Amino acid sequence: MTTSVDLVSVRGRLAELVSAATDGQLSVAELLASEDSLTALGVSSLALLRLADSLEEEFEVLIDLGDPALHAAGLTALAARLHEHAG
């Protein structure tokens, strides 16, 4: 039970970080409502770079810009990956 709560928390925090990386062009609510990939949502390569830096700082995980998790996965899949790393 705590795992799903933790995953929900990670997903919510990830949505905040993506929103910040896009300078608010995507809202947290939009991100949480979508299962589209970040690139399909229009997240630019510069925003992905900012996001990768934020993920490294916050979750202590190194995400390469070529990592499919940043391009092909939706928010839930990326959150699950971060949650696995943190757990």
Side-chain angles (χ1 to χ4, degrees), residues 17-26 46-47 50:
L17 293 172
V18 173
S19 182
T22 64
D23 293 326
Q25 290 179 348
L26 290 170
L46 178 58
R50 291 178 186 163

Side-chain angles (χ1 to χ4, degrees), residues 75-87:
L75 194 68
T76 299
L78 183 54
R81 181 162 173 215
L82 294 170
H83 183 260
E84 286 174 17
H85 174 65

Side-chain angles (χ1 to χ4, degrees), residues 13-54:
R13 182 62 184 139
L14 180 57
E16 292 171 354
L17 293 172
V18 173
S19 182
T22 64
D23 293 326
Q25 290 179 348
L26 290 170
S27 71
V28 171
E30 287 176 296
L31 290 159
L32 291 174
S34 177
E35 285 303 320
D36 291 336
S37 70
L38 297 180
T39 53
L41 291 171
V43 178
S44 70
S45 57
L46 178 58
L48 289 174
L49 178 60
R50 291 178 186 163
L51 177 60
D53 287 344
S54 295

